[in-house]
Amino acid sequence: MLLDEAFNAFMRRHKSFGSEGELHEYLTSMIPAHCYYSVAYYKYPSAANMSDKGWSGSDLIFDLDADHLPNAPNNYSEMLDNVKVETLRLYDFLTKDFGFSEDDIQIIFSGGRGYHIHITEDNIKDLDSNQRREVIDYLSAKGLNLSHLFHHKRFVPELQKDGDDLDLNINSGWRKRLNAYIISYLQDSLDSSNALEVLTSHKGIGERKASMIIDLCKDKKELNKIKEGNFNSLFNIDKNLILSIAEQGIEKIRLNIDEPVTADIKRLIRLPGSLHGGSGLKVIPLTYSQLKDFNPLVDAIVFNETPTLINIQTEQKFELNGMKFDLDVGIQEIPEFAAIYLMCRGVAEHES
């Protein structure tokens, strides 16, 4: 994406390059404000019409944006902290539930408000848009039916005809995750000073039932049964308690991901190594271990501390490169990296 002399943005598309050097030469000569590439693979990538390109597959892409998370804070630093946690949770789903290896997964800081995850494994490249939406449905728990997770004849008669057991198969997937959540919830309730209050917050649970649940969970034998996915004893106290905790667990475990990005098999996405034109921060590829300690407001900065004059249009308060800024309207001299950041956001102009 380029800017014309009037600073209006326009796209230059359908470009292909024979080598990394050729791409580098093009970018340094054009100096684009934003740089994207297609996640799709084409037989004829330089063809001007999409129908002539010959689509032959696409990486599986996930876009995690701080703006899409519930209760997103206004503070940029806090937004980035939240979305990093969500990215780490997605990585956990992809490796444990889908079986992708670390070599299959590329993590990219977008340079803006979040992260992109690319799955490059060959077996997923032929997935169509609907199949990719099903991946998002799984991650976001869309359509998840608790009666199909719990095996009990009162919920799913065809699954349990001879018994009356409430069993959560905990081998993998959402069953395993919900089992872990329920155990954690019960143990945290027991350890808290207001265990009765926590348990009675569930519909139909009074103090008597809450006391019975506490006594039950203190029994190591019964607690081990629960850990193995057998909830019969709890079900006998109140049939709706486990379902209530599980529904709460789903809301806490489910992911918030931009579905249109994942479903789009011809998506354009930011080029790693380029600069984000809305922040001046670098689009950086990361490993899982690097992500855990990654601080984008320090590690994605590429400009220096050369004093730079800018004319600020509105009051600005932010933190960047370990420095806090509280700037009034008007001409200010600040480090180059901070000046670039404000100019990219469109709240300041360079003052010569």
Side-chain angles (χ1 to χ4, degrees):
M1 181 179 289
L2 304 168
L3 299 177
D4 61 20
E5 293 181 357
F7 293 98
N8 297 312
F10 65 96
M11 295 284 288
R12 180 165 292 177
R13 302 186 61 176
H14 308 297
K15 302 292 295 185
S16 66
F17 304 92
S19 67
E20 185 176 337
E22 189 178 334
L23 169 62
H24 184 268
E25 182 179 348
Y26 177 81
L27 293 178
T28 53
S29 64
M30 300 302 297
I31 316 177
H34 301 270
C35 187
Y36 303 88
Y37 76 104
S38 176
V39 301
Y41 297 86
Y42 297 105
K43 295 177 181 177
Y44 311 105
S46 60
N49 296 318
M50 295 300 296
S51 58
D52 297 330
K53 288 181 180 290
W55 184 88
S56 60
S58 176
D59 291 339
L60 182 62
I61 303 297
F62 301 94
D63 180 19
L64 297 108
D65 194 307
D67 285 355
H68 295 161
L69 301 184
N71 304 314
N74 293 323
N75 180 281
Y76 188 36
S77 178
E78 292 178 7
M79 289 172 61
L80 290 174
D81 287 342
N82 286 0
V83 76
K84 183 166 82 167
V85 171
E86 193 79 351
T87 304
L88 290 167
R89 295 205 307 123
L90 172 57
Y91 185 94
D92 187 72
F93 264 99
L94 293 174
T95 53
K96 294 179 180 177
D97 292 39
F98 289 87
F100 292 115
S101 70
E102 184 173 354
D103 291 340
D104 297 327
I105 303 173
Q106 295 179 359
I107 305 169
I108 313 290
F109 171 59
S110 71
R113 294 187 299 264
Y115 295 85
H116 302 149
I117 284 188
H118 301 225
I119 306 294
T120 58
E121 210 275 334
D122 287 339
N123 290 334
I124 58 86
K125 290 180 179 177
D126 291 334
L127 295 179
D128 62 27
S129 293
N130 289 330
Q131 291 168 324
R132 292 166 192 252
R133 287 191 186 95
E134 289 185 23
V135 175
I136 293 296
D137 289 349
Y138 178 89
L139 295 169
S140 62
K142 183 178 180 180
L144 184 63
N145 191 330
L146 283 177
S147 67
H148 290 166
L149 295 181
F150 287 97
H151 291 185
H152 191 281
K153 71 179 184 179
R154 298 188 196 183
F155 300 138
V156 192
E158 66 272 18
L159 295 179
Q160 285 280 343
K161 296 186 180 299
D162 300 322
D164 196 27
D165 291 338
L166 181 64
D167 177 62
L168 184 60
N169 185 327
I170 60 172
N171 291 331
S172 62
W174 272 98
R175 291 186 173 95
K176 185 174 183 178
R177 291 180 181 277
L178 285 176
N179 179 265
Y181 178 83
I182 293 169
I183 298 301
S184 175
Y185 181 91
L186 292 172
Q187 290 180 327
D188 288 346
S189 298
L190 290 178
D191 293 339
S192 69
S193 58
N194 59 339
L196 281 175
E197 182 181 341
V198 172
L199 292 173
T200 54
S201 66
H202 293 274
K203 185 178 180 180
I205 303 296
E207 289 191 8
R208 185 181 68 84
K209 286 185 178 180
S211 297
M212 293 172 64
I213 294 167
I214 291 171
D215 291 339
L216 178 69
C217 292
K218 287 180 179 179
D219 186 322
K220 290 185 178 180
K221 183 178 179 180
E222 291 295 336
L223 188 59
N224 284 334
K225 287 183 180 179
I226 295 172
K227 290 180 179 179
E228 293 170 357
N230 186 328
F231 294 92
N232 293 329
S233 298
L234 284 171
F235 184 82
N236 290 333
I237 295 174
D238 189 279
K239 64 181 181 180
N240 294 315
L241 174 65
I242 297 302
L243 296 181
S244 176
I245 297 174
E247 288 171 353
Q248 180 179 313
I250 289 173
E251 287 304 308
K252 291 184 177 294
I253 297 169
R254 63 184 295 273
L255 296 173
N256 297 276
I257 302 173
D258 192 342
E259 178 189 319
V261 173
T262 300
D264 191 346
I265 60 174
K266 300 176 181 178
R267 189 76 182 186
L268 297 179
I269 204 155
R270 290 192 182 275
L271 179 69
S274 64
L275 298 183
H276 190 299
S279 69
L281 299 179
K282 187 176 180 179
V283 182
I284 300 181
L286 302 160
T287 65
Y288 174 72
S289 58
Q290 289 172 334
L291 174 62
K292 289 188 287 186
D293 297 323
F294 179 69
N295 182 352
L297 297 184
V298 174
D299 301 326
I301 291 175
V302 297
F303 294 98
N304 58 37
E305 297 186 11
T306 301
T308 304
L309 284 175
I310 58 170
N311 191 346
I312 300 175
Q313 299 166 4
T314 59
E315 292 182 357
Q316 296 295 318
K317 190 174 183 178
F318 62 97
E319 185 174 342
L320 201 61
N321 204 19
M323 300 173 62
K324 293 183 178 180
F325 297 88
D326 192 351
L327 305 172
D328 294 328
V329 174
I331 297 175
Q332 302 276 359
E333 185 177 80
I334 59 176
E336 181 183 70
F337 66 83
I340 294 290
Y341 171 71
L342 294 180
M343 288 188 287
C344 286
R345 290 180 55 217
V347 296
E349 295 180 352
H350 185 261
E351 190 75 17
S352 57

